[in-house]
Amino acid sequence: MYADATCDLSTRYHLTEDHYFAATCALHRRYSAGINAYFIDEHFVPWNLLFIRVGSAPSGEAMVQPLELIRRTLIEIRVVIHEEKVQGLREVLTGLDFQPAEKTTVMVLQLSRFVPSKSEGGVQISLTRDLNAWAIPLGNAFAMLPESVVHYQERHQRALEADETLYHFTLSVEGQVSSSLTLSLCKGEARLNDVGTLISFRGRGYATQLIQAALLHAAALGANRCFLEASEGAVPLYCKLGFERLFDYQSFTRQAVAVP
């Protein structure tokens, strides 16, 4: 990809990113074109989190206010930073007791070029508003505590009730929901999130079948591209589906600060 084309795709990616997190988080603050902060919940509860994402757009002095917010925030914080901005922020975050966490890879697929592979029979794929079923594989796949699963499900339920463009898919085998994901649409672009499969059902191609169904749905709704943010271990799966790398993110985390 040429540099200007990559830049434009990064901008489109950040639109889908901000749309998804703003839809599923209680509070949202936009500091600049590339810096957004989200509070998972409105109250100081165990699963609340300040979530800050720093994109590729020039930030100038825009990080001053987020850093002030970080300094006065007691709850857990996660900062996700575009690869080009890591060097400039690593030292200041380390000085604020942050630790490096996982790297993720932002990827894109041109939907006009997507050719689904032949799917195996014996599965049922559903577009559902039953988030009880949708949440089961996520809790298992990501080792979430039961109360955290309930809270995450409630966040998505509020997004549905607010008519956000989120679509929840499940894949069932012999009546048992084994895989699920979320598809979101924003200004002609699609995004995949929450791709999870029950641990005991992994390695059978179910996630691939579910992703392909979601991509076909996105194309049918007129989406041009689909974006996602993949963990290191999931990158080979998405490459096989035709996704290409745009850039990497580096995460930094700081645990909640104990109140004296």
Side-chain angles (χ1 to χ4, degrees):
M1 296 180 184
Y2 296 106
D4 57 346
T6 300
C7 180
D8 180 63
L9 287 174
S10 295
T11 299
R12 304 302 295 175
Y13 167 78
H14 291 306
L15 286 174
T16 68
E17 174 186 76
D18 183 47
H19 168 259
Y20 173 78
F21 287 109
T24 56
C25 294
L27 299 172
H28 170 221
R29 172 73 183 274
R30 183 179 178 86
Y31 289 98
S32 73
I35 304 174
N36 291 276
Y38 312 89
F39 279 96
I40 302 302
D41 200 276
E42 295 182 81
H43 308 289
F44 194 101
V45 293
W47 46 73
N48 201 1
L49 172 75
L50 171 58
F51 189 37
I52 297 177
R53 301 183 76 89
V54 181
S56 55
S59 54
E61 298 297 315
M63 272 303 296
V64 172
Q65 288 183 294
L67 288 172
E68 290 177 353
L69 176 62
I70 286 171
R71 291 186 178 97
R72 65 175 186 266
T73 298
L74 300 178
I75 62 174
E76 182 182 351
I77 303 175
R78 175 176 292 269
V79 183
V80 182
I81 306 173
H82 188 284
E83 60 188 358
E84 295 177 357
K85 303 292 183 68
V86 172
Q87 185 173 353
L89 290 171
R90 183 187 299 273
E91 185 174 351
V92 66
L93 290 176
T94 300
L96 293 170
D97 297 325
F98 280 79
Q99 299 294 324
E102 74 274 12
K103 288 185 178 181
T104 51
T105 298
V106 169
M107 308 183 78
V108 61
L109 172 67
Q110 187 75 35
L111 289 173
S112 62
R113 302 173 186 168
F114 171 60
V115 179
S117 59
K118 183 179 179 181
S119 297
E120 298 294 329
V123 304
Q124 179 181 354
I125 294 176
S126 303
L127 175 59
T128 183
R129 295 181 70 89
D130 178 5
L131 300 189
N132 290 312
W134 166 84
I136 292 171
L138 299 183
N140 180 265
F142 298 107
M144 299 167 67
L145 295 173
E147 57 267 31
S148 296
V149 174
V150 170
H151 181 254
Y152 194 66
Q153 179 180 332
E154 289 174 346
R155 287 166 51 200
H156 278 256
Q157 186 65 50
R158 287 195 294 268
L160 285 181
E161 292 170 358
D163 292 326
E164 299 287 355
T165 50
L166 268 60
Y167 304 89
H168 298 82
F169 286 81
T170 59
L171 179 147
S172 301
V173 182
E174 296 180 355
Q176 180 177 0
V177 175
S178 59
S179 297
S180 58
L181 62 76
T182 305
L183 172 75
S184 56
L185 264 67
C186 177
K187 296 183 178 180
E189 310 290 2
R191 176 185 173 91
L192 291 179
N193 273 92
D194 308 314
V195 181
T197 300
L198 294 174
I199 295 173
S200 59
F201 282 81
R202 288 179 179 172
R204 306 182 192 181
Y206 295 145
T208 296
Q209 291 188 62
L210 190 57
I211 291 167
Q212 291 186 142
L215 293 175
L216 290 172
H217 187 74
L221 292 175
N224 300 307
R225 287 165 288 263
C226 186
F227 296 93
L228 57 82
E229 182 182 347
S231 63
E232 289 184 289
V235 169
L237 165 64
Y238 295 118
C239 285
K240 289 181 181 178
L241 287 166
F243 283 84
E244 298 179 349
R245 176 189 177 276
L246 278 180
F247 60 84
D248 289 341
Y249 269 137
Q250 172 68 59
S251 296
F252 292 82
T253 60
R254 193 205 70 189
Q255 297 302 309
V257 176
V259 179

